[in-house]
Amino acid sequence: MTAAADIWTIVSAADAARARTAMACVTAAAGVPVVERTRFVTAVTEKLRWCLDQGGAWDLLVCTHQADTQGGGRLEVVVRPAGPTQGHQPDWQLSIMRPEAGLTSDAGPADVDSAGMAEALLAADEDTAELLDRLDGQEGLVRSYREELHQTNQGVLALHAELEATALTQHNLLEAERAARADAESARRLLTFLADASDTVTESLHHEDILRQLPDLLVPRYARHADVWLFDDNPTTRHGHRPAAAVAAARTGRPQHAAAHPGGLTGVDDLPPSALAPTRPLLCVPLAGHRILGVLTLTARGSRFDPDEAVMLIELARRTGIALDNARRYEQHRDTAEALQRAQLTELPTTPDLFLAARYLPATHGLNIGGDWYDAFVQSDGSLLAVVGDVTGHGLRAAVMMGQLRTALRAYAVESDTPAGILTRLHRMLRHQQHELYATAVIARFRPGDPTVAWAAAGHPPGLVRDPAGTVHVLETKPGIMLGVPLPYEYQDHTVALPPGSTLALYTDGLIERRARGIDAGIDRLSHALAALSTAELEHDLDTAAESLLKPMLHDSERDDDVCLLLCRTAPDTVARSFPAAHGGRRPR
C-alpha cells in the first residue's frame, strides 16, 4: 500500500538544504543503516544540486510505501520539473528500504527551521564520524589484506623464481646429458673405428698391403688426403718432397701440426703452415716400431683437426707402425726361411728309364718354415729311391728335424736297400732321440729293368699310380704307424706293377686336405686330376704336367700347410732303349 506523496518545491539553495535535511531526518527515523542512509541522502543532494544548476523550479516527491507481508517498507524519491509534467526532461527516481516501516515523517521543507538544520548538520557529522570509523576499520582490513597479498605475491614471485631456477637447472642438466651422450657416442664411434682399423692393418704381414689399406681407411672420413713416407723408400718414387712438419716428426719422433693457427692437440707440436699446403692444416705422425719407420701425413678435411679424432689418429698411427715393423720382420724371416727350406731340397737325379718332377709350395701363413720334403737319389746298385716326408708342426724345429731325417734316411739307405728297413731305422731313431716329434714318410724303390716298384709308408697318404692307359688307382695298402710314435714297430714292404709309361704320384697331406672335407674326398680329386692329364703332356714335359696337376687341387686351398708333390714316370720301352745319358728329370721349381 502506498501513502500520498509529499511534494517539495525546490527553487533555491535553501530549499535544497531543507529538502536534504528532511531526507536525512526521514531516513534516520526509518532506521535506515548509516551507510545506506548516507548514500541515499548524498544521491538526493547531488540531484538537487544538478537541479539548481539547471535553474527553474523542481518538485521533490517523497512517497512512503507501507510494509507488506514480508515486513519492512520502502521510501521512494522522485525529482521532476515543477508545474505541468510536459517536457522532454525525464524524471529522476530513487528508492530505499525502510526497516522500521511503521515510522513516518510528516516534516516538509517548510517545517525545517534553523534549529532543525543545526540538528541535521550535527546528525550528519555523527553519521560522517561513524562512516569514518567504519572507513578506518575497512582501511585497516585493506592494509592487512594488502600486506597479506604482498606477502602472497612475494611468495608467488619466489616460487616462480625457484621454478625458473629449477627449470634452468633441469635444462642445463638435460643439455649436459645430451652433451655427455654425444661425447660418449663420439668416443664409441672413434673406438670402434680404431678397433676395426687396427684389425685391418695388423691382420696382414705384408707391408705393401698395410700401406695400401691405410689411406683407404682414413680418406675421406677423417682426412682429405693421406700419405705414408717410409724412410727406406726410393727417393725417386712417387713421394716427392716432404713437408717440413713430416721432417720434424721423423727427426723428433713426436706428432707435428702445421697450420696458420695452433691446433691445441694433445701431445702434438705446433708449426707454421706448410709451404706445400699453406691453406690446409697438416698432421704428421711418426710410424714407429722398434725404431721410427716413417711418417703418416694427413691433410685436414676442413679448417682444423678435431682433438678427439686427432688422438684416435695418433693411436692408429702408433699401431700401424708396430704392424709395419712386424711385417718387415716377418718378411725378412720368411725370406730366410724359404731360402733355408729350398736349400735343403734335392736336385733330382737323371736316369734313362725314370723321369722325375717335383713341386714344393710353402704355406702362405706363418713363417713358411715347414717339415715337408722330397728326396730322390741313386743307390750303389743302380736302383733309385724316391722319398716324400712330412714332419708334424711348423717352425724352425720342424725344418731342422726334416733336415736330420733326410740325412739319416740317406745314411740308413747305405745299410738297408729296402724301403721298410729304412723306415724302421728312422722310427727307432725318433723314438729315442726326438720325443713328442713325429713324421710321416713314403719311400719307393725303382730298380732298372724291373716293371714293379717296392714301397713302404709310415702314416703317409697313399700314393697314386696311373697306368699307360690313363687309369688311376690308389695304393690302398694300410700304411704303418707314424715315425716317432712311442711303440716298437717293423714296417713292411709292398710292391705294385709299374709298366713302362706309368706314373707314380707321391705327395703330402697339404695337397689333398681341406677343412670342410675329408681326406678321402681329396684323394678322389687328386685321382681325377691325374687321370685328366694327357699322355702327351706327361711324356713331353713332366714339370708342366706337375703344374697342371696342382692347379685344380689348390684353387680352393687356404694354403695353411705346405704342399709337396713328386711325380715318377717310367719311360716307354722305345724311349728307355734310346734315352741319352744326359736326359732325365728337371730341377724343381
Side-chain angles (χ1 to χ4, degrees):
M1 178 177 183
T2 303
D6 294 329
I7 301 176
W8 298 348
T9 301
I10 307 299
V11 176
S12 63
D15 295 336
R18 285 192 293 270
R20 179 191 182 283
T21 302
M23 289 297 98
C25 293
V26 170
T27 54
V32 177
V34 63
V35 175
E36 286 79 358
R37 181 170 72 245
T38 302
R39 288 176 178 171
F40 181 80
V41 173
T42 300
V44 171
T45 302
E46 183 179 0
K47 186 62 180 177
L48 292 176
R49 185 180 296 112
W50 180 83
C51 292
L52 293 176
D53 291 339
Q54 298 297 317
W58 297 81
D59 289 338
L60 174 66
L61 283 75
V62 180
C63 300
T64 57
H65 299 272
Q66 299 299 324
D68 53 16
T69 57
Q70 302 298 325
R74 185 165 57 89
L75 178 65
E76 186 178 70
V77 176
V78 176
V79 178
R80 64 186 183 190
T85 58
Q86 298 178 355
H88 64 277
Q89 182 64 40
D91 293 343
W92 180 83
Q93 182 177 345
L94 182 65
S95 62
I96 189 172
M97 298 303 297
R98 298 170 52 238
E100 298 179 12
L103 297 176
T104 59
S105 176
D106 296 330
D111 297 330
V112 180
D113 54 8
S114 298
M117 292 284 290
E119 291 178 359
L121 289 176
L122 291 175
D125 289 341
E126 292 177 357
D127 291 345
T128 300
E130 183 177 352
L131 286 175
L132 290 176
D133 289 341
R134 292 189 179 187
L135 182 61
D136 289 340
Q138 293 298 324
E139 287 181 349
L141 289 175
V142 170
R143 284 193 299 271
S144 175
Y145 293 153
R146 183 181 292 113
E147 181 64 24
E148 182 178 353
L149 179 60
H150 176 71
Q151 295 296 331
T152 302
N153 289 339
Q154 291 297 108
V156 171
L157 291 176
L159 179 59
H160 283 174
E162 184 176 353
L163 290 175
E164 288 179 359
T166 302
L168 180 60
T169 301
Q170 184 177 11
H171 174 74
N172 293 336
L173 289 175
L174 290 175
E175 290 298 322
E177 181 181 3
R178 291 192 186 97
R181 287 182 177 179
D183 291 343
E185 175 61 23
S186 176
R188 184 200 64 79
R189 175 177 55 82
L190 292 176
L191 289 175
T192 300
F193 174 81
L194 177 61
D196 295 341
S198 299
D199 290 341
T200 300
V201 298
T202 57
E203 70 181 0
S204 176
L205 288 176
H206 300 280
H207 79 279
E208 290 293 342
D209 291 342
I210 298 173
L211 297 179
R212 183 178 63 256
Q213 292 170 349
L214 188 59
D216 294 339
L217 290 171
L218 299 177
V219 178
R221 189 171 184 179
Y222 294 106
R224 181 184 181 92
H225 179 71
D227 177 72
V228 180
W229 170 29
L230 292 184
F231 298 155
D232 55 0
D233 281 346
N234 188 333
T236 61
T237 61
R238 56 182 173 83
H239 300 284
H241 298 290
R242 301 294 168 191
V247 176
R251 185 180 66 254
T252 63
R254 287 179 53 83
Q256 305 292 321
H257 175 261
H261 302 284
L265 305 178
T266 304
V268 181
D269 298 334
D270 284 309
L271 296 176
S274 171
L276 300 179
T279 61
R280 292 278 183 177
L282 298 182
L283 180 62
C284 301
V285 188
L287 299 173
H290 290 80
R291 59 184 179 85
I292 299 178
L293 303 175
V295 176
L296 170 65
T297 299
L298 301 174
T299 305
R301 295 173 297 168
S303 60
R304 61 186 294 272
F305 282 97
D306 180 80
D308 292 336
E309 292 182 359
V311 172
M312 182 275 295
L313 294 172
I314 293 172
E315 175 61 20
L316 179 59
R318 185 187 70 82
R319 299 184 184 186
T320 302
I322 295 175
L324 286 171
D325 193 25
N326 291 337
R328 287 295 178 87
R329 290 172 176 269
Y330 163 78
E331 289 168 354
Q332 292 174 358
H333 289 307
R334 180 198 62 197
D335 295 342
T336 302
E338 288 188 1
L340 174 64
Q341 189 84 10
R342 295 192 178 278
Q344 299 190 73
L345 298 178
T346 303
E347 182 175 357
L348 298 177
T350 59
T351 61
D353 54 356
L354 185 66
F355 303 148
L356 300 176
R359 289 293 180 273
Y360 171 77
L361 301 176
T364 56
H365 300 284
L367 288 179
N368 294 355
I369 303 179
D372 289 20
W373 92 96
Y374 65 84
D375 197 2
F377 54 91
V378 179
Q379 293 182 288
S380 59
D381 62 354
S383 61
L384 184 142
L385 288 183
V387 183
V388 171
D390 183 3
V391 178
T392 56
H394 287 79
L396 185 60
R397 186 184 181 196
V400 171
M401 191 61 222
M402 179 267 287
Q404 292 179 358
L405 282 177
R406 175 179 175 275
T407 302
L409 188 148
R410 288 199 171 212
Y412 292 145
V414 175
E415 301 177 4
S416 176
D417 62 350
T418 67
I422 297 172
L423 290 179
T424 300
R425 288 173 178 266
L426 287 176
H427 176 61
R428 189 178 301 119
M429 181 197 75
L430 282 181
R431 283 180 55 207
H432 292 90
Q433 297 183 9
Q434 298 292 338
H435 300 291
E436 298 182 356
L437 187 63
Y438 312 108
T440 68
V442 58
I443 303 176
R445 184 189 63 192
F446 301 87
R447 291 184 182 275
D450 189 348
T452 64
V453 60
W455 63 275
H460 202 80
L464 302 179
V465 174
R466 171 188 161 123
D467 62 25
T471 303
V472 177
H473 63 276
V474 183
L475 303 182
E476 295 181 348
T477 304
K478 184 177 180 180
I481 64 174
M482 294 178 65
L483 299 173
V485 173
L487 292 172
Y489 190 81
E490 296 287 337
Y491 294 91
Q492 301 297 320
D493 282 317
H494 309 280
T495 60
V496 63
L498 202 67
S502 300
T503 302
L504 173 65
L506 304 177
Y507 53 91
T508 57
D509 55 4
L511 182 63
I512 58 173
E513 279 190 339
R514 301 292 181 271
R515 293 181 181 179
R517 304 175 184 176
I519 191 171
D520 291 338
I523 294 174
D524 290 340
R525 291 179 61 208
L526 181 58
S527 299
H528 287 92
L530 182 58
L533 295 176
S534 67
T535 302
E537 187 175 14
L538 289 168
E539 292 179 351
H540 181 264
D541 191 342
L542 197 59
D543 284 321
T544 302
E547 292 288 349
S548 300
L549 188 60
L550 290 178
K551 288 181 181 179
M553 297 300 298
L554 299 181
H555 76 277
D556 61 343
S557 174
E558 296 181 2
R559 297 288 305 281
D560 53 359
D561 196 3
D562 300 343
V563 173
C564 188
L565 172 67
L566 178 60
L567 294 182
C568 309
R569 177 171 173 79
T570 59
D573 287 336
T574 56
V575 176
R577 287 193 296 267
S578 61
F579 205 92
H583 188 70
R586 300 176 185 271
R587 182 179 178 86
R589 289 180 292 182

